[in-house]
Amino acid sequence: MTRRAGICNLIAFTCAAALWGGGAQAQSQESRKPNILFIVSDDTGYGDLGPYGGGEGRGMPTPSIDKLANEGMTFFSFYAQPSCTPGRAAMQTGRIPNRSGMTTVAFQGQGGGLPAAEWTLASVLKRGGYHTYFTGKWHLGEADYALPNAQGYDEMKYAGLYHLNAYTYGDPTWFPDMDPELRAMFQKVTKGALSGKAGGPVTEDFKVNGQYVDTPVIDGKPGVVGVPFFDSYVEKAAIEFLDEAAKTPDEPFFINVNFMKVHQPNMPAPEFEHKSLSKSKFADSIVELDTRIGRIMDKLRETGMDRNTLVFYTTDNGAWQDVYPDAGYTPFRGSKGTLREGGNRVPAIAVWPGKIKPNAKNHEILGGLDLMATFASVAGVPLPDKDREDKPIIFDSYDMTPVLLGSGKSPRKTWFYFTENELSPGAVRVGNYKFVFNLRGDDGRATGGLAVDSNLGWKGPESYVATVPQVFDLWQDPQERYDIFMNNFTERTWMGVVMGEEIKKIMATYVEYPPRKSQSLTYNGPITLSDYEKFEWAREQLAKEGIRIPIPTGN
């Protein structure tokens, strides 16, 4: 053999080995369960982000989120619940909020929270061998059994239990008129950022207030961090987790990152003040949110783990326009707290290299409820048929993987809209048609200079229609302007039959799977003296037959 031939053979062998090694590595990565990075922002408007016509066009560039959309799939008919706690509960459990009792926001000191019997994304994925991690806003209760480290997460770091406003309650500069005793109570019961591992103690890392202060440690003890700096700790925790996860590439992970931005009060971190084009607090905070998401994605790519990671980004509910100008934008009617599209249709983007085609766009009905079945599917984990207390359970979640992989259509054809106290849905969408029974926060008046007065969100009273609901074609009229039930040239009254059948289906599930007790108190209308007297009469008559019914006392 000549020297030249030997060199050629050596080169060929080296190339073959490299190709075989690379192929083996790619095959090994393909056979491993995918990691899952789930990012959630707060109160982010559908129209705030670049992929939805916002971004730079609204004075707040979102290059990182734009890049996600370019790399993956953007959803245009993706639904959440109309407020924070039910929105997050629905995503964590894959169940409509009235099933878990998580229908409304609780205040600090109320205790309670997500029932221990509920499955979460983390507790289901744990069954598939996933390492699970949580950081940021939780908002699903403050009882020990309701915390992330008791709900399937191996570790929680800098978990925030409330919405941002709650951290200002005990701050005298925000509420100087508050009674000192009440302020002392709020300061006592409001928990700051919490960290802990499953089965271990929970520690309070630092208190949170509404000031521009960043002192996590004071004299060797937990200090105080202001609202403007909270998300920097969430970003830090996520990046540290990814660095650690890279050391054990054979163990799949699930990390849930929850930014507090852009729930009001929006106080951007100092380095983001006036960094947006419009230089408003909300716009600056969107720029901050986008930057922090970008840094986490940069770390994922730097470690090489992005090639085997499903990334999903969304927000918890529609834009909260009641707090304008410290609020997001939605092109739809209504806002957070209502059953209109503006309160429920939200941005969502999925990225999965080699699986989801770049720059894909989807307009089918999907929602946060569907993350449970989807994440379980990609992890190869069957959904349980019993809850964590061994009682029968039902999920309202559909597997989105055919949509993500381009192999099929969305299995979901219906979306039910709920507010806090509804067992039957206040609105229903089937295909492109939507029936609205609860007109809460919006009586249909023409908008204009007093637009905010006819778009009241939570401020608006519940207002139900009976036989004749409003009907909208969301393809032709996504802003729900033109009711076509009985006042256009082709009546859509026949859709009432379809909607009625869909409502029957969901109502039937409550018989076999009763909703859990509501986990937080809320005022839902007056209790009249006449109602009390009727109830007392019924109690007295039943007592004569030996049947005793106690007076309801709430929670």
Side-chain angles (χ1 to χ4, degrees):
M1 181 185 295
T2 65
R3 184 169 180 272
R4 177 169 178 165
I7 291 173
C8 288
N9 286 339
L10 179 61
I11 292 171
F13 175 80
T14 303
C15 290
L19 287 171
W20 180 86
Q25 186 178 14
Q27 187 175 8
S28 173
Q29 183 162 291
E30 181 74 19
S31 63
R32 291 203 307 266
K33 291 186 176 184
N35 306 309
I36 300 173
L37 167 57
F38 179 34
I39 303 174
V40 182
S41 59
D42 205 356
D43 285 11
T44 311
Y46 186 98
D48 290 334
L49 310 177
Y52 295 88
E56 186 174 352
R58 292 205 60 244
M60 49 188 90
T62 55
S64 300
I65 294 173
D66 295 354
K67 185 173 182 179
L68 285 179
N70 290 335
E71 293 177 344
M73 179 176 288
T74 304
F75 299 90
F76 292 88
S77 288
F78 194 89
Y79 288 92
Q81 305 299 314
S83 65
C84 301
T85 293
R88 292 167 188 274
M91 288 189 284
Q92 286 290 339
T93 66
R95 285 155 48 84
I96 56 177
N98 62 32
R99 296 198 195 278
S100 62
M102 303 300 292
T103 59
T104 192
V105 173
F107 291 96
Q108 56 267 52
Q110 281 188 290
L114 189 64
E118 288 290 327
W119 290 100
T120 65
L121 296 171
S123 55
V124 167
L125 291 174
K126 282 293 295 178
R127 304 176 96 193
Y130 276 70
H131 182 61
T132 56
Y133 187 91
F134 183 92
T135 182
K137 179 176 176 177
W138 179 240
H139 213 187
L140 296 177
E142 58 186 4
D144 290 343
Y145 65 78
L147 299 181
N149 69 325
Q151 290 282 352
Y153 288 94
D154 292 316
E155 184 176 0
M156 64 178 184
K157 188 71 173 175
Y158 307 129
L161 302 189
Y162 323 106
H163 52 83
L164 278 182
N165 306 88
Y167 295 106
T168 69
Y169 291 168
D171 192 324
T173 62
W174 281 78
F175 303 106
D177 59 331
M178 184 181 288
D179 181 272
E181 291 185 5
L182 181 59
R183 178 177 295 114
M185 184 278 291
F186 277 123
Q187 289 173 335
K188 180 180 179 181
V189 302
T190 304
K191 298 176 182 178
L194 301 182
S195 294
K197 295 184 178 181
V202 174
T203 59
E204 188 175 48
D205 302 293
F206 47 76
K207 292 289 186 183
V208 181
N209 69 8
Q211 303 298 316
Y212 272 85
V213 57
D214 187 14
T215 53
V217 180
I218 299 176
D219 296 332
K221 299 178 181 179
V224 180
V225 170
V227 164
F229 298 92
F230 191 96
D231 277 354
S232 67
Y233 289 88
V234 177
E235 176 196 318
K236 176 175 177 286
I239 288 175
E240 288 176 351
F241 172 83
L242 293 176
D243 275 328
E244 285 299 310
K247 298 175 184 178
T248 55
D250 292 328
E251 181 183 34
F253 66 76
F254 167 60
I255 176 173
N256 186 192
V257 182
N258 295 261
F259 287 110
M260 290 288 200
K261 298 287 189 307
V262 282
H263 193 292
Q264 56 97 219
N266 276 294
M267 303 172 68
E271 64 267 32
F272 294 100
E273 287 188 282
H274 296 165
K275 288 299 187 292
S276 66
L277 299 175
S278 67
K279 309 198 184 313
S280 70
K281 288 183 178 181
F282 183 86
D284 291 345
S285 295
I286 285 285
V287 171
E288 177 181 347
L289 169 68
D290 181 79
T291 302
R292 298 197 188 283
I293 289 175
R295 290 171 182 168
I296 292 172
M297 290 302 301
D298 287 345
K299 173 58 68 174
L300 186 69
R301 297 180 186 108
E302 174 191 314
T303 62
M305 295 187 295
D306 63 307
R307 295 189 294 274
N308 190 40
T309 299
L310 167 60
V311 179
F312 203 97
Y313 162 74
T314 189
T315 188
D316 54 358
N317 50 251
W320 191 3
Q321 294 182 319
D322 288 347
V323 294
Y324 179 85
D326 199 13
Y329 168 73
T330 173
F332 305 116
R333 183 174 181 174
S335 70
K336 177 179 177 178
T338 74
L339 295 168
R340 298 297 186 183
E341 294 296 286
N344 295 268
R345 205 188 295 200
V346 296
I349 300 170
V351 177
W352 194 2
K355 302 285 188 179
I356 298 175
K357 291 182 179 180
N359 202 30
K361 294 175 175 58
N362 184 275
H363 294 270
E364 297 173 271
I365 303 173
L366 293 162
L369 285 168
D370 300 324
L371 296 174
M372 173 64 86
T374 304
F375 290 173
S377 176
V378 302
V381 182
L383 287 180
D385 58 7
K386 299 286 184 65
D387 68 14
R388 294 169 77 190
E389 293 178 350
D390 206 33
K391 296 178 181 177
I393 191 171
I394 186 173
F395 292 93
D396 302 288
S397 190
Y398 288 86
D399 181 7
M400 295 190 290
T401 52
V403 174
L404 299 179
L405 302 178
S407 61
K409 294 287 187 179
S410 169
R412 178 182 287 286
K413 306 302 177 188
T414 303
W415 187 262
F416 297 110
Y417 306 69
F418 294 91
T419 52
E420 295 90 344
N421 200 35
E422 290 175 322
L423 189 62
S424 61
V428 184
R429 177 178 177 178
V430 178
N432 54 301
Y433 290 106
K434 179 178 180 180
F435 267 43
V436 180
F437 301 97
N438 181 357
L439 310 181
R440 179 180 181 173
D442 184 354
D443 65 6
R445 285 177 292 178
T447 60
L450 297 178
V452 69
D453 294 328
S454 57
N455 187 26
L456 298 176
W458 276 316
K459 298 175 187 175
E462 292 179 338
S463 176
Y464 290 92
V465 294
T467 306
V468 186
Q470 293 182 342
V471 180
F472 303 97
D473 181 345
L474 294 180
W475 283 351
Q476 298 191 72
D477 179 26
Q479 292 182 318
E480 300 173 82
R481 289 182 176 182
Y482 304 103
D483 179 4
I484 58 173
F485 187 76
M486 294 186 73
N487 65 353
N488 79 333
F489 72 102
T490 54
E491 294 179 358
R492 288 299 189 274
T493 50
W494 55 269
M495 278 300 297
V497 178
V498 178
M499 298 294 178
E501 287 301 309
E502 292 301 313
I503 292 175
K504 275 187 195 176
K505 291 177 187 176
I506 193 170
M507 295 305 290
T509 66
Y510 297 133
V511 178
E512 189 174 356
Y513 307 96
R516 302 193 196 279
K517 184 178 181 181
S518 179
Q519 296 298 300
S520 55
L521 298 170
T522 182
Y523 179 76
N524 52 34
I527 300 174
T528 64
L529 181 60
S530 58
D531 286 340
Y532 169 77
E533 290 174 348
K534 290 174 186 175
F535 181 72
E536 274 296 281
W537 178 86
R539 289 180 71 227
E540 290 169 2
Q541 298 305 308
L542 289 170
K544 293 175 183 178
E545 303 296 325
I547 301 171
R548 298 190 179 278
I549 301 177
I551 293 177
T553 57
N555 283 1

